């Protein structure tokens, strides 16, 4: 497994400190984020999942704790929209250039507005997908917010 991805390249280019953590990805896991947390020996609320969604038909990226679900109402509100829905996996892969289970908010093919669950911003370090299955990046969530030019918002149900 390569530890250099578009995600790691982007973070390096903007001067964000991070560490790379590989784990055994289980393609049959019911919830990939929870499986990653268990494999890394980390609390699920510190291992964040990257989801692709649409607000009023426009693509957005959402980063939330792996043990929580996104509220579509809160997601729409975070982007000043009326309605939100999850993006189809095939559309998410085409838009980001990453495979489902390895989607990172960093280094996506097309830059889209991004929101990070505000509750995670109080953590000293979190894990975010590094751009391939079985690869997580550990970094300060405030640095992730800055690198993504994201908004912090209450997104979980």
């Amino acid at each position: 497994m390569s530890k250099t991805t578009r995600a790691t390249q982007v973070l390096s280019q903007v001067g964000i400190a991070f560490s790379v953590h590989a784990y055994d990805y289980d393609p049959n896991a019911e919830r990939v984020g929870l499986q990653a947390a268990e494999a890394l020996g980390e609390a699920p609320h510190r291992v964040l999942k990257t989801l692709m969604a649409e607000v009023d038909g426009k693509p957005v990226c959402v980063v939330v704790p792996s043990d929580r679900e996104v509220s579509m109402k809160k997601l729409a509100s975070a982007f000043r929209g009326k309605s939100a829905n999850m993006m189809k996996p095939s559309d998410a892969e085409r838009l980001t250039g990453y495979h489902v289970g390895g989607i990172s908010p960093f280094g996506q093919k097309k830059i889209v507005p991004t929101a990070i669950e505000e509750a995670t911003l109080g953590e000293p370090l979190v894990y975010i997908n590094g751009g391939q299955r079985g690869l997580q990046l550990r970094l300060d969530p405030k640095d992730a917010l800055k690198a993504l030019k994201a908004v912090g918002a209450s997104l979980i149900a």
Side-chain angles (χ1 to χ4, degrees):
M1 169 187 310
S2 172
K3 291 191 177 185
T4 300
T5 64
R6 287 193 321 271
T8 61
Q9 291 170 338
V10 165
L11 289 173
S12 293
Q13 287 170 355
V14 296
I16 300 293
F18 65 94
S19 57
V20 178
H21 301 266
Y23 68 95
D24 289 328
Y25 174 81
D26 179 0
N28 300 314
E30 196 171 309
R31 295 179 69 188
V32 173
L34 293 179
Q35 188 261 323
E38 185 178 326
L40 293 166
E42 275 295 331
H45 71 274
R46 283 199 297 267
V47 179
L48 310 184
K49 58 186 174 183
T50 304
L51 304 171
M52 300 305 294
E54 296 172 326
V55 172
D56 295 342
K58 295 186 171 126
V60 298
C61 181
V62 188
V63 182
V64 297
S66 61
D67 62 344
R68 303 303 298 268
E69 297 298 321
V70 175
S71 160
M72 292 298 125
K73 185 176 182 177
K74 289 179 178 181
L75 175 58
S77 178
F79 290 103
R80 296 184 176 89
K82 294 183 191 275
S83 68
N85 60 281
M86 296 308 298
M87 191 178 286
K88 287 187 229 167
S90 59
D91 292 342
E93 288 184 342
R94 190 170 37 259
L95 183 76
T96 64
Y98 293 123
H99 294 292
V100 169
I103 293 178
S104 178
F106 310 107
Q108 294 185 1
K109 277 176 140 180
K110 182 175 188 214
I111 296 172
V112 299
T114 302
I116 298 177
E117 170 54 44
E118 66 186 4
T120 66
L121 299 176
E123 294 292 331
L125 295 169
V126 295
Y127 290 79
I128 298 177
N129 196 290
Q132 65 187 34
R133 295 170 180 157
L135 191 72
Q136 293 282 322
L137 306 177
R138 187 174 69 178
L139 70 162
D140 182 322
K142 291 176 206 69
D143 286 343
L145 190 77
K146 183 171 58 172
L148 294 165
K149 297 182 173 84
V151 297
S154 175
L155 301 166
I156 49 181

